[in-house]
Amino acid sequence: MYGELACGSAVHSVATAQRRREVVKFISHARNEAEAIAKPWSATLAAMDERSSRRLVVIGDGMVGHRFVDAVVQRDASRVWAITVLAEEPRPAYDRVALSSLFAGVTAAELALPSPKRDAVDVRLGEAAVRIDRDQREVTTSNGGVVGYDALVFATGSTPFVPPIPGADAASCFVYRTIEDVAAITAAGATAASGAVIGGGLLGLEAADALRRLGLRTHVIEYANRLMPMQLDDGAGEALRLRIEALGLDVRLGAKTTAIEVRHATSQARRLHFEDGGHLDVDLVVFSAGIRPRDELARACGLAVGERGGVVVDATCRTADSHVWAIGEVACVDGAMFGLVAPGYAMAEVVADRLCGGGDATFADADCSVKLKLLDVDVATFGDAFATSSGALSLVYANPVSGVYKKLVVSDDATRLLGGMLVGDATEYALLRPLVGAELPLPADPAALLRIGDGTGEAVGSGALPSSALVCSCNGVTKGSLCAAIADGAREIGELKTKTGAGTGCGSCVPLMKAIIGDELAAAGIPISKALCEHFEHSRAELFDIVRVTGIRAFSRLVAEYGRDRGCDICKPAVASIFASLGAGHILAGEQAALQDTNDHFLANLQKDGTYSVVPRIPGGEITPAKLAVIAQVAGDFGLYTKITGAQRIDMFGARLDQLPAIWRRLVDAGFESGHAYGKALRTVKSCVGSSWCRFGVQDSVQLAIDLELRYRGLRAPHKVKAAVSGCARECAEARGKDFGVIATEQGWNLYLGGNGGFTPRHAELFAQALDTETLVRLIDRFLMFYIRTADRLQRTSSWLESLDGGLDYLRAVIVDDSLGICAELDAAMAAHVRDYRDEWQGALEDPAVLSRFVSFVNAPGADDHTVQFVSQRHQPRPATATERTRLTDQEAIR
Amino acid sequence: MTVELQDRGVAVCRYDDLLPELGVRALVGDAHVAVFRTFDGAVFAIDAVDPFSGASVLSRGVVGSHGGEPVVVSPMHKQRFELRTGRCVEDPSRHVRVFSVDVVDGRVFVGAGAATDQ
Ligand SMILES: Cc1cc2nc3c(=O)[nH]c(=O)nc-3n(C[C@H](O)[C@H](O)[C@H](O)COP(=O)(O)OP(=O)(O)OC[C@H]3O[C@@H](n4cnc5c(N)ncnc54)[C@H](O)[C@@H]3O)c2cc1C
Ligand code: SF4
């Protein structure tokens, strides 16, 4: 029977397993049952042979199961637990909460949850648990395998409820829970014109958004008399309805669907019938009428389930069987079930703590606060949003015109915040949620907490929060731990995220985190230094303005008048970049040359052995066979290693400094230009093949990419800038991973801003839709110029956007509505750039003074450089390692 | 001639060929030497081989100051080396050789051997 386990990590001898069972039995016999449950498992563990590996089986690799396994792996340093995960779904755990982003261009692979350090975990994808034998402590799987356990954890989640009405099984009826569901809905959406979502709750509205994105006429059918009846009151539901209808969706409240009429020929749905006799014609239906816990296995093996289902567990998430636990949506904790991920995560931590001897954690008050953007509408509820506490008072602000509804629930003496509901604008959520339950009194007029009207009374800062306040509910980080990290040296949001994990879930607490950093540093008397380096007190943006206004174009003057000493590798290249952005001639002309770091100085990329790589520009990634042949010829003649880059061009490696001019002479003669791979500048505008060839393409993505790349080539910026254009929503060019990305639609171009790959990948966010080419280019012009003017040194567009107070909305105000009155200047700056662009390599080749610096040794221009040596690998050169180098030199000496 | 070599070292270039804060690399015997002219006109020479990466690149680093001392920043991994002492600012246990420099009749001479270890 243990043969099944031989391939996994859970290999034990039968004897060990039996002995372990005896120990456990002994313990549970020796004490009464209640005491055994209350006793932390650490005691049980201590009583065991410490080297014995114990078997943990997790059923379900969903969000909570995944978090649970991570938590165990993290705590279980001595690898006590051998973990097997039985996963019904065919792919590893993914971010179900973000399922809808699949309709916005995110790929299924990108939804995967990160899994650090899990090699010791046996995850069996596509292998469901089908039977549990609690006496033998064994689980039978859908492959017929049998897995024994010492601890069994249900993390089976829920399944969408499909009401038993005629026609519900028609071919075009779907549910919305998995990646496969999304694929099925997308496929069906291609041939449908209209769709209905049955259920106007949180998930139903997400599904409605999906249908809308697929271009369907979308209807929302809700049985209750308001949207999101579980989370919102009538007023809030009404505000949400107004907003959603304004988007062109049809909302029907108080409507009970009684039957779905099906086309006989295709068995597709065609018409919904309602209880009141009305009907509605639709091609596609998504059920979102609630969820049911997946407790079928638990029932079958005799475990207790709740009134409305769910595996009954105590506050430690343990069932009456001391070897069996349940967490996430399937768990019924003290009678309550939770359809949100944060409570599930909290349960996962509790059980991980228990299993790893981490003490006596229990699952207490689940935080059921939510903040969502549903159909672009902010919706948030937190704490006692329905004012059910005794004596609770509600303060309501409603603006039916703008579809904004805000409610605060306060204690009877109006001194403490109990909860609230925000629709249409939820900016206050980040500060208000952690205030719930705080012991601190509210301002005299609690309405001051809402940023409405001319909010009188004092504003509340993050200082009002006690240190126990939970700031990040996704990851359970309190204000106290954030302050500790700040005291420990974290000064920016990125650092704080890495150190504490806060802000890495839904992100709604990021504004509050920023406020806490500011307030903490101010309180500690630490000025928030924006100094660029030891030579300038100014930030990059301030220096930019100084250079722009004073017209200074020499570093020596700038540092003498505004800085101190002689500069460094931080301020010199930064100032060089500012000069370049403001048009100061060739970057190697005169004194400027000494400001550039080596890459800019030699217009090539330094490699580990001191040689350089060469990247000619290939606009949009389009290249003729003749030009390809030139690259091949040059690389061959100079013995260069060639590699295709991720940005659709060709990189040639291994050029010695003194070879660069000759290489570039050949390239420039053949019509190539510098690709600026060495600069903090526009790199490339990647493109898919687009409508000229692709069956799906709706616009000519290649042409636009070439035009954009030629427009912005040579543009210096605080950091590198990457871009891409896709010819349709399939997004083959991965435009959303770029600083600016353009995706074609039938209606025009969609512009996404602020994405990047690299160390902390980030998707660009939708900035504007359905643009014509002229408007698109104008917006990108202004976006780039505003970024170049105001960003910090080495700040990518994503963190720059994050640092703007008001983020994308603020940017929209500046570059669309011209709120600062600078658009004309930005436009003029870009026009000047386009007008004055000259190829840097051509310029260098024409300047003998510049060329004279490309020598190996000033006093021996022809001499060999022994530090540069190559060996052959896969038929191409690569730098010799240190040992190889010595060997080669010795051989030479012998010769 | 031989005498001059020993006294003054190897003539590597003309003083005017050195632009302020732009290094050049010279071959002195077997050694790769990075020669710099700082903004105030002084000339320094240190080993061009970056001890951290083993690549001969220090002549291509950005020249500036740290706490008033002239430094060059390795273009490979950004460690700073003091031009006067050869000491690495980030890791004082590492340093590069410093060579003596003479400017005579507008010509720059670099000492054949290591001038100082301080
Ligand atoms: C579209 C959508 C949007 C959402 N938005 C939000 C939101 O904004 N905020 C929020 O907090 N929550 C949201 N949720 C809810 C959130 O996704 C769930 O609360 C969370 O996924 C629950 O995690 P879980 O691990 O308990 O269940 P799941 O993630 O469903 O995982 C359970 C897993 O167990 C597997 N399984 C079941 N039975 C077996 C078996 N017998 N053998 C093997 N495997 C089995 C299932 O296939 C599944 O993979 C959303 C859900 C959806 C569908
Ligand atoms: S993004 Fe669209 S147009 Fe471009 S290649 Fe992919 S499917 Fe074709």
Side-chain angles (χ1 to χ4, degrees):
Chain A
M1 104 187 156
Y2 282 89
E4 299 293 334
L5 286 170
C7 59
S9 54
V11 185
H12 329 272
S13 74
V14 176
T16 330
Q18 273 167 356
R19 193 180 63 222
R20 182 175 322 114
R21 235 174 260 162
E22 277 157 20
V23 175
V24 175
K25 257 191 214 144
F26 167 74
I27 288 175
S28 52
H29 283 173
R31 308 168 201 282
N32 71 42
E33 194 69 20
E35 197 191 334
I37 290 179
K39 189 79 194 159
W41 264 55
S42 50
T44 318
L45 293 181
M48 322 251 334
D49 175 357
E50 13 165 84
R51 301 212 136 255
S52 75
S53 182
R54 304 171 50 70
R55 301 159 306 167
L56 170 60
V57 175
V58 183
I59 308 183
D61 188 26
M63 297 191 72
V64 174
H66 179 87
R67 165 64 70 100
F68 169 68
V69 171
D70 272 352
V72 172
V73 170
Q74 225 172 51
R75 287 171 175 73
D76 185 24
S78 47
R79 297 268 172 97
V80 170
W81 290 101
I83 308 174
T84 306
V85 179
L86 298 176
E88 179 190 67
E89 291 191 64
R91 66 186 79 244
Y94 52 89
D95 186 354
R96 201 178 304 287
V97 169
L99 195 62
S100 299
S101 62
L102 292 175
F103 292 98
V106 172
T107 63
E110 287 168 325
L111 279 192
L113 294 172
S115 308
K117 282 207 315 195
R118 302 190 84 183
D119 28 313
V121 182
D122 180 17
V123 181
R124 306 197 183 170
L125 297 179
E127 186 171 347
V130 294
R131 208 176 66 81
I132 293 162
D133 181 338
R134 289 200 288 130
D135 295 330
Q136 296 299 313
R137 292 218 297 277
E138 282 168 358
V139 181
T140 308
T141 76
S142 52
N143 290 2
V146 176
V147 192
Y149 65 83
D150 298 297
L152 176 67
V153 176
F154 281 99
T156 48
S158 347
T159 189
F161 171 66
V162 177
I165 53 175
D169 55 353
S172 56
C173 289
F174 301 93
V175 294
Y176 188 40
R177 177 93 193 167
T178 64
I179 290 179
E180 284 67 31
D181 293 337
V182 170
I185 293 172
T186 308
T191 56
S194 64
V197 177
I198 299 189
L202 190 159
L203 299 184
L205 294 178
E206 286 226 7
D209 197 17
L211 297 190
R212 181 180 71 121
R213 283 173 189 270
L214 289 174
L216 306 191
R217 242 179 302 113
T218 305
H219 308 268
V220 177
I221 319 292
E222 170 56 48
Y223 178 56
N225 60 4
R226 61 168 184 266
L227 291 171
M228 292 182 69
M230 304 294 282
Q231 288 89 8
L232 302 184
D233 61 17
D234 285 348
E238 184 58 13
L240 184 58
R241 184 183 66 82
L242 283 171
R243 286 281 189 131
I244 290 178
E245 286 185 341
L247 293 172
L249 275 75
D250 169 45
V251 178
R252 296 185 185 213
L253 300 174
K256 182 172 184 193
T257 315
T258 47
I260 298 172
E261 201 177 309
V262 177
R263 283 178 221 276
H264 286 297
T266 58
S267 47
Q268 306 272 331
R270 63 177 287 255
R271 174 173 288 182
L272 302 182
H273 289 277
F274 302 115
E275 198 174 38
D276 66 0
H279 61 80
L280 174 71
D281 287 348
V282 291
D283 307 321
L284 183 158
V285 179
V286 179
F287 285 107
S288 187
I291 52 175
R292 295 290 177 268
R294 302 258 331 241
D295 55 11
E296 64 272 10
L297 283 180
R299 285 175 196 265
C301 69
L303 288 167
V305 296
E307 217 170 284
R308 288 178 300 127
V311 180
V312 170
V313 292
D314 61 15
T316 73
C317 297
R318 203 193 298 201
T319 66
D321 178 336
S322 62
H323 297 277
V324 183
W325 315 69
I327 55 178
E329 286 190 350
V330 74
C332 176
V333 193
D334 291 332
M337 283 185 291
F338 302 90
L340 293 171
V341 76
Y345 282 173
M347 295 180 214
E349 300 289 335
V350 167
V351 178
D353 263 358
R354 296 266 163 180
L355 291 187
C356 299
D360 44 12
T362 54
F363 175 76
D365 324 315
D367 183 2
C368 287
S369 307
V370 274
K371 173 169 182 277
L372 307 155
K373 229 184 173 59
L374 283 171
L375 293 138
D376 291 332
V377 184
D378 277 345
V379 177
T381 79
F382 53 96
D384 181 15
F386 283 99
T388 54
S389 324
S390 80
L393 303 173
S394 298
L395 284 143
V396 174
Y397 165 85
N399 181 343
V401 181
S402 58
V404 172
Y405 178 91
K406 300 185 176 193
K407 176 168 99 170
L408 289 186
V409 179
V410 298
S411 58
D412 50 1
D413 55 357
T415 59
R416 291 183 34 230
L417 183 66
L418 302 177
M421 227 175 251
L422 304 163
V423 172
D425 169 16
T427 21
E428 299 93 337
Y429 173 82
L431 179 64
L432 292 182
R433 189 194 45 73
L435 264 182
V436 171
E439 285 307 326
L440 291 160
L442 296 179
D445 176 8
L449 293 171
L450 296 175
R451 294 180 208 169
I452 44 176
D454 56 355
T456 42
E458 72 268 46
V460 176
S462 77
L465 295 176
S467 80
S468 61
L470 197 59
V471 173
C472 171
S473 55
C474 296
N475 293 300
V477 184
T478 61
K479 179 185 167 194
S481 7
L482 290 173
C483 293
I486 294 169
D488 215 30
R491 292 285 178 275
E492 326 161 13
I493 196 80
E495 270 175 274
L496 206 53
K497 281 183 178 177
T498 341
K499 283 198 170 172
T500 63
T504 56
C506 71
S508 68
C509 60
V510 171
L512 182 58
M513 287 171 65
K514 282 187 189 161
I516 292 177
I517 298 181
D519 294 349
E520 282 303 298
L521 294 183
I526 302 172
I528 307 172
S529 170
K530 13 179 209 56
L532 189 62
C533 65
E534 65 175 274
H535 305 103
F536 286 97
E537 295 296 336
H538 316 78
S539 68
R540 180 190 171 279
E542 289 168 344
L543 276 181
F544 192 100
D545 282 337
I546 292 172
V547 173
R548 188 167 58 87
V549 173
T550 59
I552 294 178
R553 292 294 183 275
F555 181 83
S556 45
R557 196 179 141 202
L558 189 70
V559 78
E561 291 180 20
Y562 293 90
R564 73 170 82 87
D565 288 345
R566 284 304 310 159
C568 63
D569 63 316
I570 294 172
C571 58
K572 282 182 154 186
V575 168
S577 156
I578 292 173
F579 287 163
S581 300
L582 288 170
H586 197 280
I587 65 161
L588 299 182
E591 205 200 272
Q592 276 195 71
L595 305 181
Q596 312 292 354
D597 68 23
T598 189
N599 283 359
D600 277 308
H601 189 184
F602 296 111
L603 308 173
N605 291 51
L606 180 70
Q607 302 301 326
K608 63 190 285 186
D609 60 344
T611 62
Y612 291 83
S613 77
V614 170
V615 187
R617 186 170 296 292
I618 300 180
E622 184 183 84
I623 185 165
T624 60
K627 278 186 132 181
L628 268 180
V630 172
I631 292 185
Q633 204 64 64
V634 169
D637 292 352
F638 288 89
L640 306 176
Y641 166 85
T642 52
K643 175 124 183 26
I644 312 254
T645 73
Q648 297 187 334
R649 46 194 190 171
I650 298 172
D651 206 340
M652 293 174 263
F653 291 78
R656 291 192 322 265
L657 186 61
D658 48 296
Q659 292 176 315
L660 288 172
I663 291 172
W664 271 103
R665 178 85 61 201
R666 296 260 303 266
L667 291 172
V668 167
D669 286 348
F672 284 105
E673 293 185 347
S674 164
H676 292 98
Y678 46 79
K680 304 284 178 250
L682 175 90
R683 294 286 171 81
T684 64
V685 183
K686 184 176 171 179
S687 69
C688 75
V689 77
S691 58
S692 336
W693 289 92
C694 178
R695 291 181 288 142
F696 304 108
V698 293
Q699 295 209 51
D700 189 348
S701 48
V702 180
Q703 185 65 55
L704 181 69
I706 294 176
D707 292 347
L708 292 176
E709 184 159 342
L710 295 182
R711 182 171 182 81
Y712 303 125
R713 65 189 157 175
L715 183 66
R716 301 275 156 165
H719 209 308
K720 63 186 170 191
V721 174
K722 296 182 167 190
V725 182
S726 277
C728 81
R730 285 172 181 75
E731 241 283 73
C732 297
E734 299 165 331
R736 292 198 59 208
K738 307 293 180 204
D739 294 281
F740 65 91
V742 181
I743 301 178
T745 71
E746 309 252 4
Q747 288 77 41
W749 306 105
N750 286 359
L751 174 60
Y752 293 81
L753 298 179
N756 58 243
F759 187 62
T760 327
R762 215 190 108 129
H763 268 118
E765 284 178 63
L766 183 61
F767 181 75
Q769 271 170 300
L771 303 168
D772 58 55
T773 308
E774 194 189 325
T775 316
L776 172 81
V777 171
R778 195 169 54 237
L779 288 181
I780 301 175
D781 282 359
R782 293 175 180 174
F783 161 71
L784 288 173
M785 275 303 170
F786 190 47
Y787 163 64
I788 288 170
R789 271 196 186 187
T790 58
D792 273 339
R793 168 185 167 268
L794 297 188
Q795 188 175 35
R796 288 292 294 265
T797 55
S798 65
S799 61
W800 170 68
L801 276 174
E802 214 167 82
S803 72
L804 293 180
D805 215 352
L808 269 197
D809 290 335
Y810 174 72
L811 182 67
R812 227 171 253 129
V814 174
I815 70 173
V816 180
D817 309 331
D818 201 7
S819 61
L820 301 180
I822 57 167
C823 284
E825 258 178 61
L826 299 178
D827 292 345
M830 189 59 84
H833 163 78
V834 174
R835 185 192 62 218
D836 297 339
Y837 166 82
R838 278 210 64 208
D839 173 31
E840 279 168 5
W841 260 108
Q842 174 140 33
L845 292 174
E846 286 166 4
D847 186 339
V850 169
L851 283 185
S852 70
R853 295 179 206 138
F854 288 81
V855 288
S856 55
F857 300 98
V858 258
N859 58 341
D864 246 10
D865 182 344
H866 284 289
T867 58
V868 174
Q869 282 175 336
F870 301 110
V871 293
S872 170
Q873 183 176 49
R874 297 184 295 275
H875 315 294
Q876 292 212 72
R878 72 150 165 81
T881 61
T883 14
E884 286 166 344
R885 230 162 17 199
T886 345
R887 211 180 315 132
L888 289 171
T889 318
D890 290 351
Q891 278 166 7
E892 233 159 68
I894 294 165
R895 252 185 268 138
Chain B
M1 186 67 197
T2 323
V3 175
E4 180 180 288
L5 218 170
Q6 276 169 356
D7 281 350
R8 291 185 179 149
V10 179
V12 295
C13 61
R14 291 171 346 110
Y15 180 76
D16 290 346
D17 295 338
L18 291 175
L19 298 177
E21 302 186 342
L22 260 188
V24 298
R25 188 170 67 159
L27 199 56
V28 177
D30 268 350
H32 293 188
V33 180
V35 184
F36 305 95
R37 166 177 163 188
T38 51
F39 191 74
D40 56 10
V43 182
F44 298 96
I46 62 172
D47 203 331
V49 177
D50 169 21
F52 294 93
S53 64
S56 174
V57 294
L58 291 187
S59 58
R60 306 177 213 158
V62 171
V63 178
S65 64
H66 170 60
E69 271 293 296
V71 293
V72 63
V73 187
S74 167
M76 204 55 82
H77 293 122
K78 305 284 180 203
Q79 291 91 353
R80 286 169 289 187
F81 295 91
E82 291 178 356
L83 297 183
R84 259 180 241 288
T85 64
R87 203 174 56 98
C88 172
V89 175
E90 278 70 24
D91 178 358
S93 71
R94 306 290 282 271
H95 59 92
V96 291
R97 278 186 296 170
V98 178
F99 295 79
S100 63
V101 182
D102 255 340
V103 180
V104 180
D105 295 338
R107 296 210 296 162
V108 178
F109 293 86
V110 172
T116 56
D117 248 345
Q118 211 88 220

